[in-house]
Amino acid sequence: MLGRVLNTHQQWLCRRLADCGYVVTRQVAVPDTAPAIQSSVREALDRATLVIVTGGLGPTSDDLTRDLIAQLLGKRLRLDDAVLNHIKKRFAARNLPMPKNNEVQAQVPEGALVLANPNGTAPGLAMEVGSGVRGFVSGTPQTSRRLSQKPRAQTPDARWLIMLPGPPRELRPMFDGQVVPLLQREFPLDAPFVCRTLRTSGLAESLVQEKIGAPLGKWEAQGLEVGYCARVGQVDVRLSARGAEAEQVVREAAAVVQQPFGAQIYGYDDEEIETVVVRLLTERRETLALAESCTGGCIAHWVTNVPGASAVFLGGLVTYSNEAKQKFLGVRAETLAAHGAVSEAVAREMAEGARRETGADYALAVTGVAGPGGGTKDKPVGTVFVALADASGTTVERRLNSYERETFKQLTAQQALEKLRRRLISP
Amino acid sequence: MLGRVLNTHQQWLCRRLADCGYVVTRQVAVPDTAPAIQSSVREALDRATLVIVTGGLGPTSDDLTRDLIAQLLGKRLRLDDAVLNHIKKRFAARNLPMPKNNEVQAQVPEGALVLANPNGTAPGLAMEVGSGVRGFVSGTPQTSRRLSQKPRAQTPDARWLIMLPGPPRELRPMFDGQVVPLLQREFPLDAPFVCRTLRTSGLAESLVQEKIGAPLGKWEAQGLEVGYCARVGQVDVRLSARGAEAEQVVREAAAVVQQPFGAQIYGYDDEEIETVVVRLLTERRETLALAESCTGGCIAHWVTNVPGASAVFLGGLVTYSNEAKQKFLGVRAETLAAHGAVSEAVAREMAEGARRETGADYALAVTGVAGPGGGTKDKPVGTVFVALADASGTTVERRLNSYERETFKQLTAQQALEKLRRRLISP
């Protein structure tokens, strides 16, 4: 609540739950104080069949969640020897003694399932909260109908409370490996659920809806749900449906989206543009080099986030200075003098130089004005040239990406990789 | 709620509000449905003096917020000609007709202040919600005491509801330029508020608290609040206080943290390691080059996110392949054959090559096993060598960063820049 840490759990957990067919009805963040934590958990248990709490299981004095929830549910904490041994072993493996503080992480509320944490010290905890807290749970959970028509739980108003450790590298494998199987057992879906996201590049959100909104109406009448998510340079269209016909409804609706926007759809579901490009290059056994000026390594960073990128990515030259452009890419001093570093001619020489020097099949180059300084009347902040060189020649596009520095870099990286993708799929 | 978009508003707004001395008591996300939006806004107005709503002001059919809040507050919407003209002009500037859909963005609830949006179509809207909705507001807001002792509003239970557009590049300047002045006028602080964050690198959270927790107790008795925020490789210590003595309390507490951890404190408040490094290089009029293998351009991307980096950053070589290491950095084939690409010797030759080829004062080089593949018994996934070359020689550190690929890259980038920072501040 102080803005020191970016919360990535909401997106990650919501996507995982949505893809399993569960509907998330609310996400809440509160400060590390007893009243805030207890009242928000109490309200959530009143509202939903499943409550997932993240964080606050650490060893420091502001990690209060375990204690406060046990207190709220009237459960005693016991020291779990297996958990304590696990924590001691983790410290021993690093030749460190276990600080006394960490012992609190081995405290487990009575009746809780322990979710092992191979990536950290605090275990996850899962508790069925049912008839035992009847006096406490005040209402009928509003979402039980959506989470499951047939809860397997012993009591009709039973629900689950799951506490997960805060660090993403601990939470994520624990969720996938231990929480999802628990949910599938306790909250089996009552009907098939299908969802598909089509990711478009280079289109405005209002245009996307204007083209496909009306045609999709027919399937919405059959239970299709349509969602639009816009980011800079990208619009996602998410199609989902439940029931026996879900597969067919989503398939037919996807065809309606593909009809006007086929070429602009760069990927499906979780696919990022860099994942698609690495996959296409891998399939074609072709290689890539990069020459980046204004994006400053952003494209190389994205590409190398993809496991297996080393098979297709030969190297990147982040040539911020004119000297580096000349030395590593062979850009000519006369070209720089005649056209300036931000120009079609320099972008072309950068791409051709990167391809020549690395021997890659394709080379992308970008040069532009990221800002905030450096703009001119002819080439204002946001001006960028994107070049692609391959065996058939070199093409250059000029764009105006008038955004602040980081957005500028990301949008330019997206456009450059999209340019390569279109080349790779063209006949 | 479907996990398609990462919510960065919570962190950004919470930090801005916290730094202005306001306490955020809850953050809630709900799906784009009328009952969810209306009930969450109603609950928030019951709970707090200030409610900020983000998103849902776009032109598509799932952008319901403006309508639903007007309805909830019993306000009629009117078409605002100035806003409509602004929207039409934005489209005209791009030689596009305004889609009919966008007209809805010019609808303004009666009595609302319009917050101009120079970076998009939807304006922000600010409404005082007071006696006019007395029948609706059910309780005394619990946080009015903290937000302000002396609200300037006309009625004692008056509060403000502010709607902001979802895109960060629209929301952020609108908040800084128009919302902060509104808050300072309507909710003046009753006492000075001071906060300072000390950012440490390379320390475990439990160790940090073990060393400074007890010594800080004396100042906590004087109203100091202490918060710990841990990320991979980093722990932030946030110190804050209110009242006439706040400045002194925070200054003395900061000295208590600096005493054991001076060298490990890389920055203060919002400073990132790359900002600090660019600042130190700029002050010293020195230059940097990078040679990245396993980080794949991440360090260059970070450094070039800092405005003004071009004055100190000469270039980066993302040498993923052995051929690129030889060609661009002059790493010797014999060294690669004898020690392997992930080795102290190759890291050393990469750093020295980057420095020699670019003429930079400092060159950082990293080579390691990012995974998930490529690990061996001697060099498991996560092994990395970080080298720093300068006029006085070259030093290399070996680390084991056993995390998944993206975390590995980020932690390694942090460690490499921290190595440079310590060199820059050493006598």
Side-chain angles (χ1 to χ4, degrees):
Chain A
M1 305 310 291
L2 298 171
R4 303 302 314 173
V5 177
L6 179 64
N7 175 9
T8 59
H9 292 330
Q10 180 195 352
Q11 179 184 27
W12 194 88
L13 288 169
C14 283
R15 183 181 291 201
R16 278 292 195 278
L17 288 162
D19 290 351
C20 292
Y22 299 117
V23 174
V24 180
T25 55
R26 191 170 291 213
Q27 174 266 334
V28 174
V30 295
D32 278 332
T33 65
I37 292 172
Q38 289 188 326
S39 71
S40 62
V41 171
R42 185 197 308 266
E43 288 164 23
L45 282 168
D46 275 358
R47 197 186 286 126
T49 311
L50 169 67
V51 175
I52 297 174
V53 179
T54 66
L57 306 180
T60 58
S61 60
D62 54 3
D63 290 306
L64 306 164
T65 304
R66 187 189 301 98
D67 269 22
L68 290 171
I69 288 181
Q71 195 186 75
L72 180 73
L73 301 179
K75 303 282 187 189
R76 288 168 46 155
L77 289 163
R78 61 174 178 81
L79 191 73
D80 188 296
D81 288 332
V83 175
L84 187 62
N85 278 336
H86 166 73
I87 298 172
K88 285 184 174 160
K89 270 191 195 150
R90 281 188 68 86
F91 279 94
R94 295 163 194 216
N95 291 319
L96 293 169
M98 186 188 83
K100 182 77 181 158
N101 283 344
N102 285 82
E103 201 171 278
V104 69
Q105 299 188 298
Q107 298 280 349
V108 171
E110 276 174 356
L113 288 178
V114 171
L115 308 175
N117 185 357
N119 303 300
T121 47
L125 300 166
M127 308 168 72
E128 192 174 348
V129 181
S131 50
V133 287
R134 221 176 253 281
F136 150 68
V137 174
S138 62
T140 304
Q142 291 160 27
T143 57
S144 59
R145 186 179 50 79
R146 302 303 296 273
L147 252 177
S148 165
Q149 300 284 32
K150 298 166 203 150
R152 289 263 197 96
Q154 304 302 315
T155 52
D157 68 347
R159 59 212 72 190
W160 280 80
L161 173 68
I162 298 177
M163 289 178 254
L164 300 177
R169 68 184 187 282
E170 301 178 24
L171 176 145
R172 293 178 182 193
M174 190 182 288
F175 187 85
D176 284 342
Q178 298 175 76
V179 177
V180 169
L182 175 70
L183 298 186
Q184 286 169 340
R185 191 185 70 219
E186 296 296 328
F187 302 108
L189 292 184
D190 52 314
F193 170 78
V194 176
C195 91
R196 193 98 220 252
T197 300
L198 294 84
R199 315 191 74 179
T200 71
S201 183
L203 298 168
E205 186 183 9
S206 54
L207 179 77
V208 172
Q209 191 179 18
E210 204 164 276
K211 287 251 187 184
I212 62 175
L216 285 177
K218 178 181 152 195
W219 286 272
E220 288 181 289
Q222 294 173 46
L224 178 75
E225 287 186 46
V226 184
Y228 301 93
C229 296
R231 274 157 294 173
V232 174
Q234 295 179 62
V235 179
D236 288 353
V237 181
R238 184 182 191 270
L239 308 169
S240 64
R242 286 169 196 276
E245 308 296 310
E247 182 70 47
Q248 193 187 336
V249 166
V250 170
R251 192 173 59 243
E252 290 177 4
V256 169
V257 182
Q258 274 151 342
Q259 198 268 322
F261 299 130
Q264 282 100 346
I265 296 169
Y266 70 83
Y268 295 88
D269 300 332
D270 285 355
E271 282 182 320
E272 303 290 350
I273 183 73
E274 60 269 25
T275 315
V276 175
V277 163
V278 169
R279 177 167 50 70
L280 289 170
L281 287 168
T282 306
E283 287 167 5
R284 300 161 62 102
R285 299 172 185 272
E286 291 180 320
T287 55
L288 173 66
L290 297 169
E292 301 183 63
S293 184
C294 58
T295 46
C298 178
I299 308 178
H301 177 46
W302 285 11
V303 167
T304 58
N305 278 345
V306 182
S310 54
V312 299
F313 177 57
L314 299 186
L317 292 304
V318 185
T319 52
Y320 232 50
S321 66
N322 283 352
E323 292 70 25
K325 290 181 182 73
Q326 294 173 59
K327 176 165 184 84
F328 296 111
L329 299 169
V331 173
R332 290 173 304 158
E334 309 87 79
T335 313
L336 286 162
H339 303 278
V342 177
S343 62
E344 175 169 341
V346 167
R348 179 182 298 273
E349 291 190 14
M350 287 173 67
E352 292 174 355
R355 186 165 176 271
R356 183 179 61 241
E357 298 297 322
T358 61
D361 296 302
Y362 301 92
L364 279 173
V366 290
T367 179
V369 189
T376 64
K377 189 161 181 299
D378 286 348
K379 292 168 188 170
V381 169
T383 301
V384 63
F385 294 88
V386 179
L388 172 61
D390 62 31
S392 67
T394 305
T395 58
V396 187
E397 284 169 38
R398 180 181 180 146
R399 303 263 190 172
L400 182 61
N401 297 333
S402 303
Y403 299 106
E404 47 68 42
R405 196 173 173 94
E406 287 191 44
T407 307
F408 166 87
K409 288 173 72 176
Q410 288 167 16
L411 177 56
T412 304
Q414 172 84 20
Q415 289 165 347
L417 290 169
E418 174 66 7
K419 183 174 170 67
L420 174 59
R421 186 190 70 86
R422 298 230 185 146
R423 172 70 187 82
L424 290 172
I425 61 167
S426 68
Chain B
M1 305 309 291
L2 298 170
R4 303 303 311 174
V5 176
L6 180 64
N7 176 9
T8 58
H9 291 331
Q10 180 195 351
Q11 178 184 25
W12 194 88
L13 288 170
C14 284
R15 183 179 293 199
R16 278 292 195 280
L17 288 161
D19 291 351
C20 292
Y22 299 118
V23 174
V24 181
T25 54
R26 191 170 291 212
Q27 173 266 334
V28 174
V30 295
D32 278 332
T33 66
I37 292 172
Q38 289 188 326
S39 71
S40 61
V41 171
R42 184 196 308 265
E43 288 164 22
L45 282 169
D46 275 358
R47 195 186 287 125
T49 311
L50 169 66
V51 175
I52 297 174
V53 179
T54 66
L57 305 179
T60 59
S61 60
D62 54 4
D63 289 306
L64 306 164
T65 304
R66 188 190 297 99
D67 269 22
L68 291 171
I69 288 181
Q71 196 186 77
L72 180 73
L73 302 179
K75 302 283 186 190
R76 286 167 49 150
L77 290 164
R78 63 175 175 79
L79 192 71
D80 187 296
D81 288 332
V83 175
L84 187 62
N85 277 336
H86 166 74
I87 298 172
K88 284 184 174 160
K89 270 190 197 152
R90 281 188 68 86
F91 280 94
R94 295 165 193 215
N95 291 316
L96 292 170
M98 185 188 85
K100 183 75 180 158
N101 283 345
N102 285 81
E103 202 171 277
V104 69
Q105 299 188 297
Q107 299 280 350
V108 171
E110 276 172 357
L113 288 179
V114 171
L115 308 175
N117 184 355
N119 303 301
T121 48
L125 299 165
M127 308 168 72
E128 192 174 349
V129 181
S131 51
V133 288
R134 222 177 250 284
F136 148 70
V137 173
S138 62
T140 305
Q142 293 162 23
T143 57
S144 58
R145 186 179 49 81
R146 301 305 295 272
L147 251 177
S148 165
Q149 300 284 31
K150 300 165 200 149
R152 288 262 198 97
Q154 303 303 313
T155 52
D157 67 347
R159 58 212 74 186
W160 280 80
L161 174 68
I162 297 176
M163 288 178 254
L164 300 176
R169 69 184 186 282
E170 302 177 23
L171 176 144
R172 293 178 183 193
M174 190 181 289
F175 186 84
D176 284 342
Q178 299 175 76
V179 177
V180 169
L182 176 70
L183 298 185
Q184 287 168 339
R185 191 185 72 220
E186 296 295 328
F187 304 107
L189 292 184
D190 51 313
F193 170 79
V194 176
C195 90
R196 193 99 218 252
T197 301
L198 294 83
R199 315 191 73 178
T200 71
S201 184
L203 298 167
E205 185 183 8
S206 53
L207 178 77
V208 172
Q209 191 177 18
E210 205 163 276
K211 288 250 185 183
I212 62 175
L216 285 177
K218 177 180 153 197
W219 287 272
E220 287 181 291
Q222 293 173 47
L224 179 75
E225 287 186 46
V226 185
Y228 301 92
C229 295
R231 274 157 295 171
V232 174
Q234 292 178 66
V235 179
D236 288 353
V237 181
R238 184 182 190 272
L239 308 170
S240 64
R242 285 168 198 277
E245 307 297 311
E247 183 71 47
Q248 192 188 337
V249 167
V250 169
R251 193 175 56 243
E252 291 177 3
V256 170
V257 181
Q258 274 152 342
Q259 199 269 322
F261 299 131
Q264 282 102 345
I265 296 169
Y266 69 83
Y268 295 89
D269 300 332
D270 285 356
E271 283 183 320
E272 302 290 349
I273 182 73
E274 59 270 24
T275 314
V276 175
V277 163
V278 168
R279 175 167 50 70
L280 289 171
L281 288 168
T282 305
E283 287 167 7
R284 300 161 62 101
R285 298 172 187 271
E286 293 181 320
T287 55
L288 173 66
L290 297 169
E292 301 184 62
S293 184
C294 58
T295 46
C298 178
I299 307 177
H301 177 45
W302 285 11
V303 167
T304 59
N305 278 344
V306 182
S310 54
V312 299
F313 177 56
L314 300 185
L317 291 305
V318 184
T319 51
Y320 232 50
S321 66
N322 282 353
E323 291 71 25
K325 290 182 182 72
Q326 295 174 245
K327 179 168 184 79
F328 297 110
L329 299 170
V331 173
R332 290 174 302 159
E334 309 86 78
T335 313
L336 286 162
H339 302 277
V342 177
S343 62
E344 175 169 344
V346 167
R348 179 182 298 273
E349 291 191 14
M350 286 172 68
E352 292 174 354
R355 185 164 177 272
R356 183 178 62 240
E357 299 296 323
T358 61
D361 296 302
Y362 300 92
L364 278 173
V366 289
T367 179
V369 188
T376 63
K377 188 160 182 303
D378 285 350
K379 293 168 187 169
V381 169
T383 301
V384 64
F385 294 87
V386 179
L388 172 60
D390 63 29
S392 67
T394 305
T395 58
V396 188
E397 284 170 37
R398 180 182 181 147
R399 302 264 191 172
L400 181 61
N401 297 333
S402 304
Y403 299 106
E404 47 67 42
R405 194 174 175 94
E406 288 191 44
T407 307
F408 167 86
K409 288 174 71 177
Q410 289 167 16
L411 177 56
T412 304
Q414 172 84 21
Q415 289 166 347
L417 291 170
E418 174 66 6
K419 183 175 172 66
L420 174 59
R421 184 189 72 85
R422 299 231 184 143
R423 174 69 188 79
L424 291 172
I425 61 168
S426 69

